Amino acid sequence: MSKKDLFIASLLGGAIGDALGYTVEFMKLDEIKSRFGEDGITDFELNRYTGKAMISDDTQMTLFTADGLIWAKDRISERGIGSYVGSGVYQSYLRWLYTQTRSMPDEHYDWLLDPQPHEESNRILNYKELFSARAPGHTCLSALESNKMGTIERPINDSKGCGGVMRVAPVGLFLHNDPEQAFIVAAEIAAITHGHPSGYLAAGTLAVIIAELLNGKNIAESAERAIAILRSHPQHEETLKAMEAAIELAESELNHEEAISRLGEGWVAEEALAIALYCALKETDFRKAVIMSVNHDGDSDSTGSICGNILGACHGLNAIPEDWVNHVELKELIVDTAGRLYDRNETV
Ligand SMILES: [Mg+2]
């Protein structure tokens, strides 16, 4: 399995989990079962006009994270100075804000809408699917509209919604050679919009899991390494507790519906990460694990998205059902973006 394959599989896997979960994002488990049957939702609901399974804000923002990293990498290479967050990802999120609101927080950002050198071959703003509102997170919108860039040192708010963690898988892929840096960069990227420690530390933790999967570890080993790095950061207790609960429940005989409900609903970052990790540990089959990760009372598209990111990075493209790959919205852009992210990584 090539590393490029894993980049693509992690982003496609996330999009697939997102698309499966988006249909039931705001439904309780009993509502899901009464509509789809005792097994819950098990397959895509295809849009009747496009024939595709629609992705939500989780995949939209993940694509803007990846594009921002590519942008930053090229600018840093050219100038010899800069940071991933300040030289590309923050700017990319302002573009995301524009797709959702048709405005920028300040007119001096208008140049961001122009074609940039890193997008000669493909341009993210050309995809109309990214302009459609797919239940975007209020915290992400309001933080970016404030015209201030949140940082760990100067928190933008006290939110630990899962909008920070659900978009950082590309960081783990891109910086897999250095998992400790992946943690920090992913946490900083989440802190742009989410100021509560669990909001950004869960993001750092996910990035390490993804990075270590790329480095050939299995999911349990990757989670252990992520926990070790998480422990070295202040205010990690809540995220650590969620991670440990996920691992312990995955090793137990408890049925998965009960186990997931003990982990929470996933509206907050550490719970979304814990539910996704639990499902990825519990079930090695991609289809079964992703189905498990979206059938619960809570934030199904985010837990599905994170679970798909982990499974893709672990098992690769061959493990992902072909019918899902072929029907997920924006497949071509996702594959292309993952490939360009991989190409930049090669020069790290
Ligand atoms: Mg969503």
Side-chain angles (χ1 to χ4, degrees), residues 19 38 47-48 53 69 92 103 108 115 137 155 164 199 241 246 250 253 258 264 266 272 288 303 307:
E38 197 44 37
N47 179 283
R48 67 174 138 147
L69 290 169
S92 190
S103 69
H108 87 262
K241 208 173 143 197
E253 296 297 315
E258 175 61 22
K288 289 181 186 164
T303 53
C307 185

Side-chain angles (χ1 to χ4, degrees), residues 44-339:
F44 281 165
E45 294 272 280
L46 301 181
N47 179 283
R48 67 174 138 147
Y49 301 107
T50 63
K52 300 288 179 191
M54 291 200 296
I55 48 105
S56 85
D57 62 328
D58 303 58
T59 302
Q60 291 173 329
M61 292 201 81
T62 299
L63 284 166
F64 278 93
T65 303
D67 201 64
L69 290 169
I70 293 166
W71 195 355
K73 174 76 185 183
D74 288 1
R75 289 171 89 190
I76 294 166
S77 304
E78 195 191 329
R79 299 174 187 184
I81 191 166
S83 73
Y84 293 122
V85 183
S87 299
V89 177
Y90 178 61
Q91 291 77 3
S92 190
Y93 287 166
L94 292 176
R95 285 174 146 197
W96 172 80
L97 176 70
Y98 180 82
T99 66
Q100 302 298 300
T101 64
R102 304 298 191 279
S103 69
M104 286 284 187
D106 188 299
E107 63 188 25
H108 87 262
Y109 288 121
D110 286 352
W111 70 275
L112 296 176
L113 300 176
D114 297 337
Q116 301 296 322
H118 76 284
E119 49 189 1
E120 262 174 13
S121 64
N122 205 342
R123 185 157 190 259
I124 195 166
L125 293 178
N126 286 346
Y127 290 83
K128 65 177 189 320
E129 294 88 343
L130 295 175
F131 285 77
S132 118
R134 305 281 172 80
H138 175 72
T139 304
C140 291
L141 291 170
S142 60
L144 293 166
E145 278 170 338
S146 76
N147 201 17
K148 289 193 210 82
M149 189 181 92
T151 65
I152 291 170
E153 293 73 30
R154 301 177 71 169
I156 188 92
N157 54 34
D158 194 34
S159 174
K160 59 170 185 164
C162 67
V165 63
M166 57 67 157
R167 63 181 194 236
V168 299
V171 182
L173 298 172
F174 184 61
L175 296 174
H176 69 269
N177 291 321
D178 186 348
E180 290 182 10
Q181 192 197 4
F183 187 105
I184 292 166
V185 172
E188 285 173 342
I189 285 173
I192 292 173
T193 55
H194 288 72
H196 187 288
S198 301
Y200 57 76
L201 294 176
T205 306
L206 174 63
V208 176
I209 295 173
I210 301 285
E212 291 293 19
L213 291 171
L214 265 283
N215 295 329
K217 291 195 164 89
N218 66 29
I219 296 174
E221 292 162 350
S222 301
E224 285 307 322
R225 173 85 161 119
I227 283 176
I229 296 176
L230 169 67
R231 280 181 187 277
S232 69
H233 290 266
Q235 298 182 278
H236 61 260
E237 291 75 10
E238 193 171 58
T239 305
L240 176 65
K241 208 173 143 197
M243 287 285 290
E244 287 176 340
I247 293 167
E248 201 183 308
L249 285 167
E251 286 166 356
S252 81
E253 296 297 315
L254 196 66
N255 80 72
H256 65 86
E257 284 178 9
E258 175 61 22
I260 290 173
S261 75
R262 289 193 193 178
L263 293 170
E265 296 196 342
W267 301 107
V268 293
E270 79 279 11
E271 290 181 7
L273 176 63
I275 292 170
L277 176 64
Y278 165 83
C279 297
L281 285 167
K282 192 74 188 169
E283 179 57 71
T284 54
D285 179 77
F286 183 95
R287 189 188 294 269
K288 289 181 186 164
V290 168
I291 288 172
M292 188 188 287
S293 76
V294 303
N295 283 292
H296 54 75
D297 288 340
D299 192 354
S300 299
D301 58 332
S302 297
T303 53
S305 175
I306 298 167
C307 185
N309 288 143
I310 294 173
L311 292 164
C314 178
H315 304 300
L317 268 178
N318 286 340
I320 306 181
E322 220 179 317
D323 54 325
W324 281 356
V325 171
N326 291 334
H327 286 98
V328 70
E329 190 180 38
L330 289 180
K331 172 193 164 191
E332 288 75 19
L333 176 63
I334 293 164
V335 171
D336 178 71
T337 303

